[in-house]
């Protein structure tokens, strides 16, 4: 998985895992978003949006942690979705998703450093809700400069893979 994540075409690798039926054994939580629509603020389905975010991170040569944070950034949405169509909601998907990301990375035996950095990057998105995170101090005053640079990369990523502007990329 780490080799796929660090490849230039990491998103294609993840999609290939899904198409071959292997993703459900590695990151079944990610596959939960396949075919799940969002709301009026989004043009992509959840799984598709996560892959597009990862594709951009890979195309820019971002770090492993930024790529993983991009791939898992909306992993909690399928479990928090309420309603259908344009008025669907995803209340607290950030909190649910951060807990899921922690469990996924721990289960896949990523290092504690990688896991914490991915979770911290996600927690910045939800700063006031970050107190639930185990064994991590998420204070803006304590974030290392390198992490702040990675946060800026995630912000750029979210603007490029904006849900209201088509991002032209095909997985195959």
């Amino acid at each position: 998985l780490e080799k796929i994540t660090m490849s230039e075409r990491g998103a294609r690798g993840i999609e290939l895992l899904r198409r071959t039926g292997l993703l459900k054994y590695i990151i079944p939580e990610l596959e939960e978003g396949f075919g799940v629509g969002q709301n009026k603020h989004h043009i992509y389905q959840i799984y598709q949006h996560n892959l597009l975010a990862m594709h951009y991170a890979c195309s820019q040569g971002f770090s492993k942690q930024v790529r993983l944070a991009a791939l898992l950034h909306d992993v909690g949405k399928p479990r928090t979705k309420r309603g259908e169509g344009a008025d669907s909601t995803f209340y607290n998907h950030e909190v649910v998703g951060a807990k899921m990301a922690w469990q996924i990375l721990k289960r896949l035996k990523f290092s504690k450093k990688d896991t914490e950095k991915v979770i911290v990057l996600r927690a910045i998105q939800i700063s006031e809700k970050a107190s639930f995170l185990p064994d991590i101090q998420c204070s803006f005053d304590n974030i290392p400069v390198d992490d702040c640079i990675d946060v800026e990369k995630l912000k750029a990523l979210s603007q490029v893979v904006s849900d209201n502007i088509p991002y032209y990329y095909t997985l195959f």
Side-chain angles (χ1 to χ4, degrees):
L1 181 63
E2 191 167 334
K3 286 185 179 188
I4 291 171
T5 302
M6 290 309 297
S7 73
E8 190 175 304
R9 297 180 181 199
R12 287 184 188 202
I14 298 296
E15 175 57 9
L16 189 58
L17 289 174
R18 187 195 66 78
R19 288 186 181 202
T20 59
L22 295 173
L23 187 60
K24 65 185 168 193
Y25 298 107
I26 302 169
I27 312 176
E29 302 90 342
L30 187 61
E31 196 168 19
E32 289 174 19
F34 184 79
V36 178
Q38 298 197 64
N39 56 28
K40 61 188 169 194
H41 303 290
H42 304 277
I43 61 174
Y44 298 113
Q45 295 174 351
I46 296 167
Y47 173 81
Q48 188 180 31
H49 173 72
N50 284 333
L51 281 191
L52 290 172
M54 183 186 191
H55 167 72
Y56 181 76
C58 292
S59 73
Q60 298 301 304
F62 291 164
S63 70
K64 174 176 52 180
Q65 296 93 349
V66 173
R67 293 175 192 215
L68 289 168
L71 180 64
L72 299 175
H73 80 279
D74 277 345
V75 73
K77 277 191 169 182
R79 294 188 184 180
T80 59
K81 183 176 181 180
R82 299 294 177 262
E84 290 297 325
D87 295 322
S88 298
T89 61
F90 304 95
Y91 295 119
N92 289 321
H93 80 275
E94 303 95 339
V95 174
V96 171
K99 288 179 181 179
M100 290 172 69
W102 178 272
Q103 293 166 348
I104 291 165
L105 296 171
K106 190 173 179 183
R107 180 182 72 236
L108 294 174
K109 307 220 183 299
F110 277 89
S111 72
K112 184 176 180 184
K113 178 183 173 187
D114 285 345
T115 301
E116 287 183 353
K117 184 160 183 182
V118 169
I119 301 304
V120 167
L121 290 171
R122 291 189 88 265
I124 291 167
Q125 173 188 5
I126 56 164
S127 60
E128 72 282 356
K129 298 178 185 178
S131 61
F132 71 89
L133 298 171
D135 304 324
I136 297 177
Q137 297 298 319
C138 291
S139 165
F140 286 111
D141 296 333
N142 296 329
I143 296 174
V145 172
D146 288 347
D147 290 350
C148 291
I149 291 168
D150 285 344
V151 168
E152 292 306 313
K153 289 176 181 177
L154 284 175
K155 286 180 185 176
L157 182 150
S158 68
Q159 289 174 356
V160 171
V161 189
S162 171
D163 272 329
N164 56 4
I165 300 169
Y167 181 67
Y168 295 103
Y169 170 73
T170 58
L171 293 172
F172 285 96

